[in-house]
Amino acid sequence: MYEIAICDDIQQICEEVYKLVSEELLKRDVDVRIHTYTSGQALLRAGIIFDILFLDIELGRENGLEIAREYPYKKETRIIFLTSHIEEMPNGYKVRAFRFLTKPIEPAHFEEALFSAIRDIEQDKRFTVTDEEGVHIIRSSEIFYLESQQRSTGVRTRERFARLPLSIEEMKKELDMTQFYCPHKSYIVNMDFIRTIDKGVVILKNDEKIKISRLKMKDFKEKFYDYLRSRANGF
């Protein structure tokens, strides 16, 4: 079952999004529980880990971006912002925004965002890794990059650098390679964590740098910018 939340200070918008979610998922026989909130504080008090959260940026006297910063389950939740102001888009990615939908909501854009989020949840595989502290379970969405090592693969997340007992070629088969890319034969990077591309290197959001193969530079840039456009597909 998917837990989906809708948070908008306008009850009519809550009802509209509720209807869109219900109709789209009912057609596909998807099991879901939908929660609606008209304030960010009510959402936070619920204490529920939502799979998908539709969150208005302008919540009356509240700011949806601030509510998202306070929301403790950002790693587990696909946050889809609702907004009338496209200039807020860059700020949304600071709180792990999955998509943006402009008001009035276009049904086609809504359907794309909803099912992209569901596919993303299904593809967020879990892996068992080890480091000096022991054994950990990580999600593919937490991976900054993977590095080929002898008989294993190094995995960088925000919290640690650990190892997987799989080769980098085996990991390519496990990961969603529309989100991940191989800029060099020894590395796979998660495009969610790329800050910029500069002078033949990928600069990640943790400031680490990974070299891009000269032969892959053009293709990598195209794939990265296509990925960014796909994430902003709500506009």
Side-chain angles (χ1 to χ4, degrees), residues 5-230:
I6 303 158
C7 184
D8 196 298
D9 63 311
I10 301 174
Q11 184 64 36
Q12 183 179 348
I13 299 293
C14 285
E15 292 171 1
E16 178 187 352
V17 176
Y18 187 103
K19 182 179 179 182
L20 286 168
V21 172
S22 300
E23 289 177 349
E24 290 296 339
L25 297 185
L26 183 63
K27 288 188 292 187
R28 293 162 175 80
D29 198 29
V30 176
D31 194 14
V32 63
R33 182 158 47 205
I34 307 171
H35 311 253
T36 61
Y37 305 94
T38 53
S39 78
Q41 291 305 312
L43 168 75
L44 296 174
R45 285 195 300 269
I48 299 171
I49 301 175
F50 297 109
D51 296 295
I52 302 170
L53 167 59
F54 293 93
L55 179 58
D56 186 22
I57 288 182
E58 294 183 323
L59 277 169
R61 295 183 179 180
E62 298 175 305
N63 184 305
L65 293 169
E66 291 300 324
I67 295 298
R69 288 189 183 95
E70 293 181 46
Y71 178 68
Y73 310 117
K74 287 184 283 294
K75 285 169 60 175
E76 293 86 358
T77 303
R78 278 65 182 170
I79 301 177
I80 299 174
F81 279 110
L82 310 175
T83 182
S84 302
H85 303 283
I86 61 173
E87 64 271 14
E88 293 286 4
M89 185 177 74
N91 297 320
Y93 288 120
K94 296 176 185 177
V95 289
R96 300 178 65 88
F98 183 78
R99 285 287 193 283
F100 293 84
L101 293 172
T102 53
K103 299 177 181 179
I105 297 169
E106 290 284 343
H109 289 167
F110 182 89
E111 181 181 357
E112 189 282 331
L114 174 62
F115 287 102
S116 288
I118 288 175
R119 284 194 300 273
D120 195 62
I121 293 165
E122 292 172 346
Q123 291 166 356
D124 197 5
K125 292 186 177 181
R126 288 170 170 78
F127 298 97
T128 302
V129 300
T130 57
D131 63 9
E132 294 79 6
E133 297 178 358
V135 179
H136 312 274
I137 304 295
I138 64 167
R139 294 180 174 87
S140 61
S141 59
E142 298 177 70
I143 297 171
F144 277 62
Y145 67 85
L146 300 103
E147 179 183 2
S148 180
Q149 299 181 338
Q150 192 174 16
R151 299 191 183 92
S152 66
T153 297
V155 183
R156 167 64 69 192
T157 67
R158 193 179 304 278
E159 289 79 18
R160 59 181 51 87
F161 187 85
R163 285 176 174 78
L164 272 165
L166 296 173
S167 71
I168 204 153
E169 291 300 320
E170 289 172 316
M171 286 302 294
K172 287 180 186 177
K173 297 174 184 176
E174 295 291 330
L175 297 168
D176 174 12
M177 294 306 288
T178 63
Q179 178 179 347
F180 289 82
Y181 190 86
C182 200
H184 186 278
K185 65 180 181 179
S186 297
Y187 290 91
I188 300 173
V189 298
N190 185 343
M191 290 192 279
D192 267 352
F193 292 111
I194 294 176
R195 177 176 293 156
T196 189
I197 301 170
D198 183 50
K199 297 178 182 177
V201 297
V202 177
I203 302 174
L204 299 172
K205 292 180 181 178
N206 64 350
D207 294 324
E208 290 191 61
K209 297 178 181 179
I210 294 174
K211 185 178 179 180
I212 307 170
S213 166
R214 182 175 57 82
L215 296 176
K216 289 193 171 184
M217 178 63 78
K218 184 174 183 293
D219 183 62
F220 181 45
K221 284 185 175 180
E222 290 176 356
K223 294 285 173 52
F224 178 54
Y225 294 126
D226 283 346
Y227 182 72
L228 290 181
R229 282 191 288 270
S230 75

